[in-house]
Amino acid sequence: SVHNSDIDAQHSAQTMVPFHLLIIIASLIVLSASALSPEMSSYHYLSFKQKLEGALQSVERVLELERKPRLADDVDHTYGAKYGLVNLTSNVAIIAFMNCFKQLGLDAEMLKSIDRTKPATLHFESSTSLKFLKEVMVDVPVDRSYETKEFTTELDSSQRTTKTKILKSMKAVNHIKEYHWEVEFTWSMYIYSGASKEDKKVIKSRKCIARIITQSNNSLSPASTSNGLSITWLLQQIDIDSLTSQFKVDVEDDATKTPRRNDAVDKATKFTNQMGVWCGRVERQLTGQLRILLDTHNPAIPNPLVFTMKDLIGVKDRESVFNPIFPLMEEERLPTEGDQDKDTENKSIIALQSKNENDDNSKTLLSSKDMASLLNEHVRTLDEQLNEIDMAWPSSSSDIISSSEAVLLFLTSHLKDLSTQYELSMSYIESMLEDQLIAAIGKRLESTDLDKFVKYHNARLIQPTPQPFSHAIRRPNHYPVGLLSIESHGEETECIHSHSREIKHAPILKIPLSAAIVLQLTGQQFLHGYINHRFGTSHKEHQLIARARQFSAFILVIGTMTDGSTLDPKDAIIVQNKDELLVPLLLEELPTAKEFKDAIKSLSPEQQRFARAYRKMQLSSSVFGICVIQIKPQLEALLGLPPDSLDKEMKLTQDLMELFIEYQVPSDLLSYNGFSDTVATEDKISNVRENVKGVMDVIAAEKEKQLKAEEAKTDMLLEQRLRAEDAELELRRTQQRQRMSMDYLDYSSGPPNQTSGRRLMKRSSVQSATPQMMARLGPLPRQMAQMAMRAPPEEMMADSALAATEMSFECDNDSPPSSSKEAGMTTRSGQKGDMQNIFDQGVDFTLIPQILDSAVEKSGYGNAIRATTIKAHDNWFRSRQENLLAAPKRQRLGREEVKKEKNKAFDLLDALSRSGSLSIAYSELHVVVAVTHCFDKSVMATVVQDNINPIEKLECSTLLLASVMHGIPARELIRDTNEVHRLEGVMPLLMEVPNDSREDQNEE
């Protein structure tokens, strides 16, 4: 006998896996279709339009003759008509949902009996229980038979013995053990209010008791599932007294942005999405349990069922049910006689509320009579399909699959189609707005397009206008020595624009190089206010660029302002001779004032004080400072030379910088020696040049001295090595003579002038040494090389041959330490001194972010304006020419390289200022205060979905920043009076007349 129950069980498990995978994939497709992104993609938009255009023929058949309904974007209509279209489409969707629930058993009577004071839930649950009946052994024939022959002897009538041949055939059978089960499969759908299920109302259920035969005693196990859907929102949209749908978007609500973006539609799409997910779960639960039962049923003798799972799943493919959810409009037409007839009879469970057909916003919408006809067609086609299912499928309680399961699966699938259609219709209306906006503008706007417009608009709106942050580094009436700029990199690279002004009567700027050295700079100081725009996830990179002219140099110092007159230097570098320096900048956004207040609202008083103090520190440290110091005019002041005297002294300037940077030579050794003002400039320059030459000669002599000392060390080292080799050679020869015979010893004792031979051998060995060996020994002294060259050739050849047989030239692995010139660096340690902000005039730069933060909060427009800190990145990039003829090479400066450049710059600043005792006149300080105006979405989504005009928002933030930067009320910055009146209606708080101006007006 053959027992194949294990094989069947494995086959059953294998056949179940692909089905479950298909169910998961199908559910993901449904979820992706029902949870589309807010911005409908062009693919979904076009496919949806094609689907609706194909369904328009069915709509035309339902409506009267000569009717030409079309998609909404093909009909001229008002903006208010879009709200009417959303209301009409949503009410039709609600009625279509209720038509399906009516077929499930939720009729009008049960609808009225639901307690509306509590949340209502539609619940589906299913369970499978089993009972073992018996075990039966079944013989299953096999397609094999055997024949045998037998012979028997009998006596015939004449008493003679006869022999008879008998054929016997046998067939093979399998003895298979069957297990008979009684399976009870139950499912039900019911509604209950609140959290208790005691008063539930069952709308549809079925109980099936069937017999299942398996070939394994552990093939089945009890199972139960449940799934609930909240229908509270759906019931709230129905007027129970009149049984009408009452969905409507509240256009007066502040949260209502567009016909699609409002609280009513958001709740509707949320419900349809949840309903689609719930229907998918019901399908998976139902088909999953039925498939387990059908696949487990495996009698020894096959007994195929009338309907299989393939037939049940095929029920969902019926597409002949009319879908009434269409975003349709129609050109305004004159009333006809047919319009005066009585209204169409409503066959749906609920009806549409009557609306004002004469409203201007309703003239292009389909009438209530038309929509009732479409809904009646939905009911008719739905009834036809359900009747066909009832007739085709069995309804016996002993059948595992019946018409009830087919109807349930069909209705849940149709509900998913309706929910998807509704969500696509809402997205279509929003995409229609976007298409109309693109048609009006001519293109899809990006953040870069808006940046260009803002620059163009600000140049005509504000006086003074924002200026590019690009500044030539120069002295008055002189050619620029370099350029300083800040650029932004997005889709395009361009210089940023800032609200700039020069600070008059500014205090002396202090830059502490160490605890003992503080620079004092009396040059110009500028304040810049930069507003960055960020839409959605768009990101722009910023970088500081410094370029130097040929034979020019300046020092760039980057840091943050610690008070009104002190710049804390974070980094510094010397830019010279056509260098191009790129410093990436990191912009970090801080929370807005409103976000900060909301966050600390529930904290303790101590925690709030801590948060406020730390935020104050954050705002103060967000002031970015860039200081540029010109080297050549400061050298002239340091050396006692007249102004502009070093303009044409390029070599002298380079020598001076080398002496200050590389050797830290005191400036007193180089400056002009005289005290008379009547001396000619050329004489002063000559005096300085002689001083420089004297110092350079001393350095050159010191280098020559060090070189000779190193050569002497090398000669001594080589002589010590040669002596050691002589001793080793002599020892080996002595040992060799003791081992050899007397004759050979006499022969090998060598000529009398053995010592001279060894000396010659040494010279030959030196000459025959390889370059690698010589490199390891270091440079040979000049005397040793001359001795080797003066040796006679014959002796050199003979001694070289002897050296090749008796000795080898050995070198140590460790080479002698090479001399290196170490530049002296001044030690900077200790704590920063107490630097108080004591001045009568000027601006305290660290207070500007706090003033701006307070102004943003008071204006009422601070939900999106964030204070922004600027920091320099650790990795810099520099393009430099090695010489005048070489091409520039780009190199990366890491953290260590930047630190070395900072030390060089500090050494030069120390020398140029005589350790802080000499003030620096030719300097520029650029203080940058940055804010970021943040939009949660892209430019198009901000306009279409949020119904926000970003230009007006950016105007507000621009005026706020410019008002703080220039210290002028916002309305006084606007050039045109007409623009003032326009902006008063857009931003009344910001455009308020100052109290001083009001008093002047009252006096007049």
Side-chain angles (χ1 to χ4, degrees):
S1 63
V2 179
H3 193 278
N4 56 358
S5 61
D6 295 337
I7 299 176
D8 290 337
Q10 295 177 2
H11 175 72
S12 175
Q14 292 174 357
T15 56
M16 288 170 60
V17 172
F19 172 75
H20 291 305
L21 290 177
L22 289 175
I23 290 295
I24 293 173
I25 294 172
S27 63
L28 289 176
I29 294 175
V30 171
L31 287 174
S32 63
S34 61
L36 291 174
S37 61
E39 299 182 52
M40 177 184 277
S41 64
S42 58
Y43 170 76
H44 286 99
Y45 178 72
L46 294 177
S47 62
F48 181 70
K49 286 192 65 174
Q50 292 175 358
K51 179 180 178 181
L52 292 185
E53 289 173 355
L56 282 177
Q57 298 178 359
S58 301
V59 176
E60 293 176 358
R61 286 196 299 266
V62 174
L63 300 179
E64 302 172 356
L65 293 175
E66 308 254 340
R67 300 292 301 279
K68 294 295 182 182
R70 290 181 293 170
L71 294 177
D73 61 346
D74 296 331
V75 179
D76 292 335
H77 58 274
T78 62
Y79 182 70
K82 291 182 173 64
Y83 281 98
L85 182 61
V86 168
N87 293 334
L88 184 61
T89 306
S90 301
N91 284 307
V92 169
I94 292 170
I95 296 174
F97 297 156
M98 292 306 302
N99 288 338
C100 294
F101 287 130
K102 177 185 176 182
Q103 298 294 341
L104 289 173
L106 182 58
D107 53 13
E109 183 178 354
M110 184 175 294
L111 190 62
K112 293 180 179 181
S113 64
I114 298 175
D115 185 4
R116 291 171 171 264
T117 61
K118 299 178 181 179
T121 305
L122 178 61
H123 204 84
F124 175 82
E125 64 181 15
S126 61
S127 62
T128 303
S129 61
L130 61 151
K131 177 182 178 183
F132 180 72
L133 297 179
K134 59 182 178 178
E135 180 181 330
V136 179
M137 185 67 70
V138 179
D139 295 337
V140 180
V142 184
D143 295 337
R144 290 186 181 181
S145 62
Y146 304 91
E147 292 185 354
T148 59
K149 298 179 180 180
E150 294 184 0
F151 296 92
T152 60
T153 56
E154 296 180 354
L155 295 174
D156 56 5
S157 58
S158 60
Q159 298 298 320
R160 289 184 298 178
T161 302
T162 60
K163 190 174 184 181
T164 306
K165 179 181 177 181
I166 301 175
L167 295 177
K168 292 185 178 181
S169 62
M170 295 182 296
K171 293 184 177 181
V173 295
N174 281 338
H175 303 291
I176 298 177
K177 188 180 295 185
E178 290 183 341
Y179 299 91
H180 291 237
W181 308 81
E182 182 182 87
V183 177
E184 180 179 320
F185 175 60
T186 305
W187 61 266
S188 63
M189 187 176 294
Y190 55 87
I191 296 176
Y192 65 92
S193 299
S196 176
K197 299 181 182 180
E198 296 179 357
D199 298 333
K200 64 182 180 181
K201 296 176 176 60
V202 179
I203 61 175
K204 196 174 186 65
S205 64
R206 181 175 183 263
K207 181 179 180 180
C208 163
I209 300 177
R211 178 167 294 187
I212 299 297
I213 300 175
T214 65
Q215 297 182 23
S216 175
N217 60 354
N218 57 356
S219 299
L220 288 176
S221 59
S224 62
T225 57
S226 62
N227 187 18
L229 169 67
S230 174
I231 59 173
T232 305
W233 177 87
L234 184 63
L235 298 179
Q236 290 174 350
Q237 310 309 311
I238 301 173
D239 186 356
I240 294 299
D241 298 332
S242 60
L243 288 181
T244 56
S245 177
Q246 56 182 6
F247 177 90
K248 186 177 182 180
V249 177
D250 185 5
V251 295
E252 303 297 332
D253 189 3
D254 294 337
T256 299
K257 300 177 181 177
T258 65
R260 167 62 182 87
R261 301 291 163 174
N262 52 77
D263 186 63
V265 176
D266 288 343
K267 290 180 179 179
T269 53
K270 180 180 179 182
F271 170 77
T272 54
N273 187 17
Q274 292 176 349
M275 184 179 66
V277 174
W278 178 79
C279 291
R281 290 176 180 173
V282 171
E283 290 179 4
R284 292 194 296 273
Q285 292 173 12
L286 183 66
T287 56
Q289 292 191 8
L290 290 177
R291 179 174 289 275
I292 292 175
L293 294 178
L294 295 179
D295 290 347
T296 307
H297 179 64
N298 185 25
I301 300 176
N303 182 18
L305 300 175
V306 179
F307 293 96
T308 62
M309 282 300 302
K310 183 178 180 180
D311 299 326
L312 182 62
I313 296 175
V315 172
K316 301 191 298 181
D317 298 333
R318 294 173 177 260
E319 298 181 354
S320 57
V321 177
F322 180 76
N323 193 327
I325 304 174
F326 294 104
L328 299 179
M329 287 185 178
E330 190 176 16
E331 294 289 351
E332 184 179 356
R333 62 189 181 90
L334 296 176
T336 61
E337 295 180 359
D339 296 337
Q340 306 299 328
D341 298 339
K342 62 180 181 179
D343 293 338
T344 303
E345 181 185 357
N346 179 46
K347 297 180 181 179
S348 302
I349 183 174
I350 58 176
L352 284 169
Q353 281 187 342
S354 60
K355 59 184 179 70
N356 184 11
E357 305 289 347
N358 297 323
D359 184 13
D360 291 337
N361 295 328
S362 302
K363 290 180 180 180
T364 55
L365 301 177
L366 298 182
S367 63
S368 300
K369 178 182 176 181
D370 296 335
M371 301 311 301
S373 299
L374 297 180
L375 289 169
N376 289 342
E377 180 66 12
H378 175 245
V379 174
R380 185 188 67 80
T381 55
L382 191 61
D383 289 338
E384 285 182 358
Q385 292 298 317
L386 294 179
N387 291 333
E388 291 179 6
I389 293 175
D390 288 335
M391 294 176 62
W393 289 77
S395 59
S396 174
S397 61
S398 61
D399 294 322
I400 297 179
I401 300 179
S402 67
S403 60
S404 298
E405 285 76 22
V407 168
L408 178 60
L409 199 62
F410 173 75
L411 290 176
T412 53
S413 177
H414 184 57
L415 279 171
K416 288 195 299 182
D417 293 340
L418 292 175
S419 64
T420 302
Q421 183 87 344
Y422 174 73
E423 293 178 11
L424 289 174
S425 298
M426 294 298 103
S427 298
Y428 166 79
I429 295 173
E430 186 169 82
S431 298
M432 180 173 57
L433 281 170
E434 184 174 350
D435 286 348
Q436 292 172 348
L437 184 62
I438 293 175
I441 297 175
K443 62 179 296 187
R444 182 184 296 273
L445 293 180
E446 303 293 342
S447 59
T448 53
D449 299 320
L450 199 63
D451 289 341
K452 293 179 181 178
F453 173 81
V454 168
K455 293 175 184 177
Y456 165 84
H457 184 60
N458 288 341
R460 288 156 178 78
L461 178 68
I462 303 175
Q463 179 65 32
T465 60
Q467 299 296 324
F469 192 96
S470 180
H471 301 274
I473 304 171
R474 68 196 309 169
R475 286 177 288 171
N477 302 322
H478 283 70
Y479 191 76
V481 299
L483 182 69
L484 180 70
S485 63
I486 297 179
E487 296 181 355
S488 63
H489 293 263
E491 296 181 0
E492 298 180 359
T493 300
E494 56 187 355
C495 187
I496 68 170
H497 283 60
S498 62
H499 302 273
S500 306
R501 69 166 173 139
E502 183 180 358
I503 306 300
K504 302 296 183 179
H505 309 291
I508 297 176
L509 175 66
K510 300 175 183 178
I511 301 179
L513 301 183
S514 66
I517 302 174
V518 179
L519 301 183
Q520 294 185 355
L521 293 84
T522 60
Q524 294 176 301
Q525 298 182 15
F526 299 90
L527 176 62
H528 306 272
Y530 170 59
I531 179 168
N532 182 34
H533 309 146
R534 178 173 61 80
F535 288 87
T537 57
S538 64
H539 176 68
K540 291 188 294 186
E541 296 181 354
H542 296 75
Q543 61 182 11
L544 174 66
I545 301 178
R547 299 181 180 93
R549 304 281 185 177
Q550 187 66 56
F551 305 117
S552 300
F554 60 88
I555 301 174
L556 180 67
V557 182
I558 301 174
T560 57
M561 301 299 297
T562 57
D563 56 37
S565 61
T566 304
L567 173 65
D568 182 18
K570 304 295 183 183
D571 300 292
I573 190 171
I574 302 172
V575 186
Q576 59 182 337
N577 297 332
K578 296 185 70 174
D579 284 351
E580 184 181 39
L581 179 69
L582 278 71
V583 182
L585 301 178
L586 303 177
L587 273 65
E588 299 179 0
E589 301 170 6
L590 300 179
T592 64
K594 184 177 183 303
E595 291 175 344
F596 176 76
K597 281 196 170 183
D598 293 342
I600 67 172
K601 189 182 301 181
S602 60
L603 297 179
S604 67
E606 290 78 7
Q607 294 168 342
Q608 290 183 5
R609 290 195 297 270
F610 169 77
R612 290 192 183 95
Y614 194 82
R615 179 174 176 82
K616 183 178 179 181
M617 182 273 296
Q618 284 181 314
L619 294 175
S620 299
S621 62
S622 65
V623 181
F624 185 62
I626 307 169
C627 186
V628 177
I629 300 171
Q630 299 186 42
I631 296 177
K632 192 172 292 186
Q634 187 62 23
L635 280 175
E636 295 169 349
L638 176 68
L639 301 176
L641 298 176
D644 304 336
S645 57
L646 292 179
D647 284 350
K648 298 178 177 59
E649 300 293 336
M650 293 176 290
K651 186 178 185 307
L652 178 59
T653 304
Q654 295 292 332
D655 292 341
L656 287 169
M657 291 180 59
E658 180 182 359
L659 292 176
F660 286 140
I661 297 173
E662 299 294 336
Y663 302 105
Q664 288 82 44
V665 175
S667 60
D668 295 341
L669 299 179
L670 307 173
S671 60
Y672 171 61
N673 298 331
F675 299 97
S676 175
D677 296 334
T678 60
V679 180
T681 301
E682 293 296 332
D683 295 337
K684 293 182 179 181
I685 294 176
S686 299
N687 180 259
V688 172
R689 187 181 292 111
E690 291 176 359
N691 294 339
V692 171
K693 184 178 181 302
V695 175
M696 296 292 284
D697 292 342
V698 171
I699 294 175
E702 202 54 39
K703 288 181 179 179
E704 183 68 22
K705 182 179 179 181
Q706 292 181 2
L707 181 61
K708 291 181 179 180
E710 293 297 326
E711 290 178 353
K713 290 181 182 178
T714 305
D715 294 343
M716 185 179 298
L717 177 63
L718 183 59
E719 183 67 23
Q720 291 176 354
R721 289 184 180 180
L722 293 176
R723 289 178 181 178
E725 290 171 2
D726 286 344
E728 183 180 359
L729 180 61
E730 185 66 28
L731 178 61
R732 280 190 285 180
R733 283 181 175 179
T734 303
Q735 294 175 352
Q736 188 176 15
R737 285 194 295 268
Q738 292 177 357
R739 291 193 302 268
M740 293 181 178
S741 61
M742 184 63 68
D743 296 339
Y744 185 76
L745 183 62
D746 294 336
Y747 171 76
S748 61
S749 61
N753 55 349
Q754 186 173 6
T755 304
S756 173
R758 286 199 303 272
R759 293 299 179 190
L760 291 175
M761 179 180 63
K762 297 174 191 174
R763 292 194 295 268
S764 176
S765 301
V766 172
Q767 289 181 341
S768 61
T770 62
Q772 292 82 359
M773 297 166 65
M774 296 301 294
R776 296 173 65 182
L777 281 173
L780 286 174
R782 188 180 297 107
Q783 296 83 351
M784 182 64 69
Q786 293 174 356
M787 290 173 60
M789 296 300 297
R790 287 197 300 266
E794 296 80 2
E795 294 181 0
M796 289 175 60
M797 293 177 60
D799 291 334
S800 298
L802 182 62
T805 58
E806 294 186 351
M807 65 174 293
S808 61
F809 201 92
E810 298 179 356
C811 298
D812 296 335
N813 291 332
D814 298 331
S815 61
S818 60
S819 62
S820 60
K821 175 176 58 65
E822 299 180 356
M825 305 293 291
T826 58
T827 304
R828 301 178 178 91
S829 61
Q831 299 180 351
K832 191 180 300 184
D834 184 18
M835 304 177 186
Q836 298 180 356
N837 181 21
I838 303 175
F839 54 90
D840 297 332
Q841 295 177 332
V843 177
D844 189 349
F845 300 112
T846 59
L847 298 180
I848 292 178
Q850 301 177 35
I851 297 173
L852 181 61
D853 197 51
S854 177
V856 169
E857 183 181 2
K858 291 178 180 179
S859 66
Y861 306 102
N863 294 335
I865 302 176
R866 300 174 180 270
T868 304
T869 62
I870 303 178
K871 297 179 181 178
H873 197 275
D874 291 336
N875 296 322
W876 297 8
F877 299 92
R878 180 173 61 188
S879 296
R880 168 169 286 183
Q881 284 182 304
E882 294 182 0
N883 51 66
L884 292 177
L885 300 179
K889 291 185 179 180
R890 182 184 174 94
Q891 62 178 0
R892 172 180 169 273
L893 302 179
R895 182 177 299 178
E896 294 299 324
E897 290 82 0
V898 172
K899 185 177 180 180
K900 292 178 181 179
E901 296 291 339
K902 177 182 176 181
N903 292 335
K904 290 181 180 179
F906 276 21
D907 290 337
L908 182 57
L909 287 173
D910 186 11
L912 293 177
S913 65
R914 291 200 191 104
S915 298
S917 61
L918 179 63
S919 62
I920 299 176
Y922 288 95
S923 64
E924 291 182 6
L925 173 66
H926 297 274
V927 177
V928 183
V929 178
V931 295
T932 303
H933 196 133
C934 306
F935 296 90
D936 296 333
K937 301 174 183 177
S938 63
V939 177
M940 296 300 296
T942 300
V943 179
V944 175
Q945 297 179 12
D946 294 341
N947 197 27
I948 293 176
N949 183 358
I951 294 176
E952 294 178 350
K953 299 297 182 182
L954 293 176
E955 283 177 339
C956 173
S957 57
T958 300
L959 287 173
L960 273 171
L961 181 63
S963 176
V964 174
M965 291 297 107
H966 297 289
I968 303 174
R971 66 182 298 113
E972 297 181 10
L973 293 170
I974 302 174
R975 295 187 177 191
D976 192 354
T977 308
N978 296 328
E979 291 292 336
V980 173
H981 296 321
R982 178 183 68 85
L983 294 175
E984 284 178 347
V986 176
M987 49 191 82
L989 294 178
L990 185 60
M991 301 302 295
E992 286 183 351
V993 180
N995 294 329
D996 297 340
S997 299
R998 290 177 182 175
E999 293 176 359
D1000 295 341
Q1001 293 176 3
N1002 293 333
E1003 292 177 0
E1004 293 177 0

